[in-house]
């Protein structure tokens, strides 16, 4: 059995696995961390040879007095109710990535720490700027056009939400653009809702419209009223502190003139 | 006359001048204006479109042209979103 400790945002996570490809996946996307004690925020054991290839995003959730399980055609997650002790069974790499996102999102919501937002996030002058939108709106296009700025995410942004401030952390849940290892957390300055257009323009949204648009950009598998309430509350704190804009942009980097 | 009541005690949260009804059963949100938010608070107990119209006119003196049909339309919309139930 192989094992390591990785740091996801502020959470020390102990990972345990058998198959080589899982180790390669961890080395590619995650940053190893050393910890002096045996205390971890999360312990995740990963096993493969489970299920079938990806079919759809449908996740079946069941809960007992001790465990919660998330079952998809290509993965199965069995977690204690506080998500501190987790076993994941996966079919392949895509299943592993999605299962880890499912676990991490559930962990940060349960602990009222923050949200995992379907978006890319770019650093500019040490401030984080999030770009989100419907599928195909241009989240990864914007991430590529923003080079040489550093990216905190190109698919799922890890957003820590407190009344004292909103911070974005480097995300290991990436699709195309790998992290360099030099990324540091940054305070979130703006959120953009993307629309591809022939001209660049940016208008601030009302907080209620921003709330409505962002609610379905959160990676969250709803299963309890209490946790859903936490998601709603975290999102409210987010839109109260960070301005959200509609950004109409051309496919070049000139839209940055409207942001920085 | 039809009577309406909240299906569940969903919270309603204020953001600037708007209110958002938070459906914790199916993870959806519905935006209403301030008067709509006030109507939502009344629906803790059974209401008809007429009792709501009267309450709105008492609370908001500026809203003097609201009709029972307007309220009925609003309530039917909330009904469609699964936020209310009604009894005939």
């Amino acid at each position: 059995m192989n094992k390591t400790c990785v740091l996801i945002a502020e959470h020390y996570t102990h990972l345990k696995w058998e198959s080589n490809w899982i180790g390669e996946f961890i080395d590619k996307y995650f940053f190893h961390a050393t910890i002096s004690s045996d205390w971890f925020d999360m312990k995740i054991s990963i096993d493969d040879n489970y299920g079938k290839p990806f079919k759809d995003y449908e996740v079946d959730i069941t809960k007992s007095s001790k465990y919660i399980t998330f079952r998809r055609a290509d993965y199965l997650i069995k977690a204690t109710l506080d998500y501190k002790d987790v076993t994941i069974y996966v079919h392949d790499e895509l299943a592993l990535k999605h299962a880890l996102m499912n676990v991490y999102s559930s962990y940060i919501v349960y602990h009222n720490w923050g949200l995992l937002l379907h978006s890319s996030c770019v650093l500019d002058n040490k401030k984080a700027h999030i770009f989100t939108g419907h599928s195909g709106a241009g989240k990864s296009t914007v991430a590529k056009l923003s080079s040489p700025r550093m990216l905190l995410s190109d698919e799922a942004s890890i957003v820590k939400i407190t009344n004292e401030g909103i911070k974005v952390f480097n995300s290991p849940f990436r699709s195309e653009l790998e992290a360099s290892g030099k990324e540091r957390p940054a305070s979130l300055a703006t959120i953009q809702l993307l629309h591809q257009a022939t001209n660049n323009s940016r208008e601030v949204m009302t907080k209620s419209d921003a709330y409505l648009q962002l609610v379905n950009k959160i990676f969250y598998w709803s299963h309890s009223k209490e946790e859903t309430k936490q998601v709603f509350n975290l999102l409210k704190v987010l839109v109260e502190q960070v301005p959200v804009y509609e950004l109409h942009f051309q496919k070049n980097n000139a839209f940055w003139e409207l942001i920085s | 006359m039809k009577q309406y009541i909240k299906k569940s005690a969903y919270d309603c949260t204020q953001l600037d001048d708007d209110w958002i009804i938070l459906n914790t059963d199916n993870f959806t949100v519905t935006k209403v204006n301030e008067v709509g938010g006030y109507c939502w608070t009344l629906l803790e107990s059974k209401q008809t479109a007429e009792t709501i119209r009267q309450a709105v006119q008492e609370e908001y003196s500026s809203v003097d042209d609201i009709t029972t049909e307007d309220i009925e339309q609003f309530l039917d919309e909330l009904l469609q979103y699964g936020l209310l139930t009604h009894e005939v």
Side-chain angles (χ1 to χ4, degrees):
Chain A
M1 195 58 100
N2 303 293
K3 56 187 183 178
T4 190
C5 174
V6 297
L7 183 61
I8 311 174
E10 294 177 330
H11 304 112
Y12 287 94
T13 307
H14 182 267
L15 297 175
K16 212 165 68 173
W17 71 95
E18 193 94 52
S19 298
N20 287 341
W21 72 267
I22 296 174
E24 285 161 17
F25 174 91
I26 292 164
D27 287 343
K28 185 174 175 189
Y29 292 106
F30 290 83
F31 292 102
H32 297 272
T34 42
I35 188 164
S36 52
S37 69
D38 268 352
W39 185 90
F40 298 97
D41 293 287
M42 263 186 294
K43 285 183 179 177
I44 305 176
S45 172
I46 306 165
D47 215 338
D48 57 354
N49 294 320
Y50 175 82
K52 300 170 183 166
F54 174 80
K55 196 176 114 210
D56 56 39
Y57 290 101
E58 200 61 45
V59 177
D60 179 45
I61 306 170
T62 51
K63 216 170 173 182
S64 70
S65 58
K66 282 188 178 164
Y67 297 101
I68 180 160
T69 58
F70 298 83
R71 190 189 300 268
R72 207 170 81 170
D74 56 342
Y75 71 68
L76 171 71
I77 297 165
K78 186 179 177 192
T80 51
L81 297 179
D82 58 3
Y83 304 97
K84 281 179 169 285
D85 212 330
V86 183
T87 306
I88 296 176
Y89 304 89
V90 294
H91 183 76
D92 55 15
E93 191 172 318
L94 180 77
L96 177 55
K97 186 173 115 178
H98 286 186
L100 287 169
M101 285 166 73
N102 188 330
V103 168
Y104 189 68
S105 160
S106 301
Y107 178 88
I108 59 177
V109 166
Y110 178 86
H111 293 278
N112 211 24
W113 184 90
L115 297 170
L116 191 63
L117 202 63
H118 193 191
S119 60
S120 56
C121 182
V122 182
L123 282 177
D124 186 68
N125 288 326
K126 295 185 179 169
K127 294 278 182 193
H129 300 271
I130 277 181
F131 298 87
T132 187
H134 61 77
S135 203
K139 294 181 283 291
S140 47
T141 305
V142 158
K144 284 176 199 156
L145 291 172
S146 299
S147 175
R149 294 172 182 84
M150 216 172 250
L151 292 184
L152 290 179
S153 65
D154 70 341
E155 184 180 12
S157 305
I158 301 175
V159 187
K160 182 182 183 181
I161 299 170
T162 66
N163 289 323
E164 290 69 46
I166 314 289
K167 230 182 213 185
V168 186
F169 287 75
N170 184 33
S171 174
F173 309 112
R174 294 189 174 231
S175 62
E176 295 170 59
L177 306 167
E178 283 178 37
S180 68
K182 291 179 187 157
E183 296 84 357
R184 296 289 170 267
S187 120
L188 179 60
T190 66
I191 299 175
Q192 275 67 222
L193 198 74
L194 295 171
H195 306 277
Q196 291 190 25
T198 48
N199 290 308
N200 291 327
S201 66
R202 192 171 82 139
E203 304 93 41
V204 71
M205 297 176 76
T206 64
K207 293 189 187 312
S208 56
D209 283 339
Y211 193 100
L212 254 58
Q213 289 297 326
L214 292 179
V215 76
N216 62 9
K217 310 294 185 298
I218 300 165
F219 287 103
Y220 172 64
W221 291 261
S222 169
H223 58 85
S224 92
K225 272 176 179 279
E226 292 68 34
E227 286 183 33
T228 303
K229 215 176 253 189
Q230 304 231 116
V231 172
F232 285 145
N233 288 341
L234 287 163
L235 184 58
K236 186 177 183 197
V237 176
L238 175 65
V239 299
E240 277 177 335
Q241 290 187 48
V242 180
V244 182
Y245 300 88
E246 302 241 36
L247 176 68
H248 297 262
F249 75 106
Q250 294 174 304
K251 272 193 173 179
N252 58 48
N253 65 1
F255 63 85
W256 272 105
E257 289 163 20
L258 300 172
I259 298 171
S260 48
Chain B
M1 202 173 226
K2 277 190 227 170
Q3 286 191 316
Y4 299 79
I5 190 163
K6 284 181 188 178
K7 202 168 180 178
S8 188
Y10 300 130
D11 286 341
C12 194
T13 191
Q14 191 176 9
L15 283 165
D16 292 337
D17 294 335
D18 297 314
W19 289 80
I20 311 267
I21 301 169
L22 310 165
N23 184 333
T24 42
D25 286 324
N26 61 7
F27 191 47
T28 57
V29 294
T30 305
K31 175 179 160 174
V32 294
N33 64 14
E34 190 190 340
V35 178
Y38 175 67
C39 294
W40 180 250
T41 61
L42 297 172
L43 286 155
E44 287 290 337
S45 57
K46 282 182 191 170
Q47 302 287 342
T48 66
E50 180 53 23
T51 57
I52 290 182
R53 189 193 63 78
Q54 285 171 13
V56 166
Q57 283 195 332
E58 271 171 39
E59 185 74 15
Y60 297 92
S61 50
S62 57
V63 185
D64 54 2
D65 55 351
I66 198 159
T67 65
T68 311
E69 287 72 34
D70 294 333
I71 301 284
E72 221 153 52
Q73 204 180 331
F74 171 72
L75 294 170
D76 284 338
E77 221 169 304
L78 295 187
L79 204 63
Q80 273 178 36
Y81 300 149
L83 296 169
L84 300 179
T85 55
H86 72 72
E87 295 163 18
V88 180

